[in-house]
Amino acid sequence: MRRSIVNLVGAALLWSAVSSGQGVVDVDFGAVHLGQVWPAAPAELADLEIGNAPPPGSSRLLQRAELIRSLGQQGANTKALDLPLSVRIRTRSETWSFRQLEEACESKVRVRPGVELVRVKARGAVTVPRGTLAGAPELGQLPRRVGEVTVLGMLPLSYAGQIVQRVPVSFVFDVSPAGAAPAVAKGAVL
């Protein structure tokens, strides 16, 4: 009984410290280094990697035991270190609205002559690491028929050179008779 009361009080104190925003550190997406979460880290240990940042828009609580284990695996002597009991890390992120996604597609889509982009439709907003860039949309095959055509595609979003998310997008094109003509005419000599 006594032990459970002590555990409840400890949990309540920890929760109040975390929920009040104390000990929250914003980090970039990817590898997290000791110097980012503990400013008082010795210079020779500051660059040691202690894990990965949580997914964009979320946070993760790093306990002292986890820090000790990670540093110990890299050969650091943790006995004399006054590491924090816990640190909450939160990935710096941004939310791209459906309109921002559509604009990114409109500016980067490339099609054959005789095909015109009419509109782009993204399905919703996405949360990505801050500093994410949009790549060229990946489109399915455009049919060779005259009129309005809907094609599904993906918009790759990348951070630090790696794709972090592919967003499904619908593209509506207007295909003219010139755009529907085959690349090589029937009976042509190659």
Side-chain angles (χ1 to χ4, degrees):
M1 176 77 164
R2 179 184 234 179
R3 185 178 202 135
S4 63
I5 292 173
V6 170
N7 287 341
L8 284 173
V9 170
L13 289 173
L14 179 63
W15 176 254
S16 67
V18 169
S19 63
S20 68
Q22 296 174 351
V24 177
V25 178
D26 288 327
V27 296
D28 289 323
F29 187 68
V32 178
H33 301 275
L34 182 63
Q36 291 175 279
V37 299
W38 186 39
E44 64 274 6
L45 300 178
D47 287 334
L48 291 180
E49 194 174 306
I50 57 170
N52 289 323
S58 64
S59 66
R60 177 175 165 231
L61 187 65
L62 286 174
Q63 300 286 347
R64 180 186 174 128
E66 186 178 352
L67 293 173
I68 290 171
R69 182 174 48 253
S70 178
L71 294 172
Q73 289 172 347
Q74 297 177 65
N77 182 5
T78 59
K79 300 246 187 256
L81 297 178
D82 187 25
L83 291 166
L85 291 175
S86 66
V87 176
R88 180 163 296 280
I89 58 173
R90 179 177 52 204
T91 301
R92 291 182 185 99
S93 62
E94 59 189 0
T95 300
W96 285 38
S97 70
F98 69 93
R99 188 65 206 136
Q100 286 173 302
L101 293 168
E102 291 169 355
E103 288 171 358
C105 288
E106 290 168 356
S107 67
K108 295 181 181 283
V109 71
R110 301 288 177 254
V111 290
R112 65 180 180 256
V115 178
E116 182 183 334
L117 179 64
V118 176
R119 67 181 166 276
V120 178
K121 178 73 174 152
R123 291 184 171 84
V126 294
T127 300
V128 292
R130 187 176 299 159
T132 295
L133 302 172
E138 301 163 355
L139 297 173
Q141 187 68 26
L142 269 130
R144 292 195 175 269
R145 68 171 188 262
V146 176
E148 200 168 270
V149 176
T150 301
V151 178
L152 295 178
M154 294 291 209
L155 175 66
L157 301 176
S158 60
Y159 176 81
Q162 292 189 336
I163 294 176
V164 292
Q165 193 164 1
R166 281 185 165 82
V167 181
V169 182
S170 298
F171 298 87
V172 178
F173 297 101
D174 182 33
V175 181
S176 70
V184 178
K186 188 173 184 177
V189 178
L190 298 177

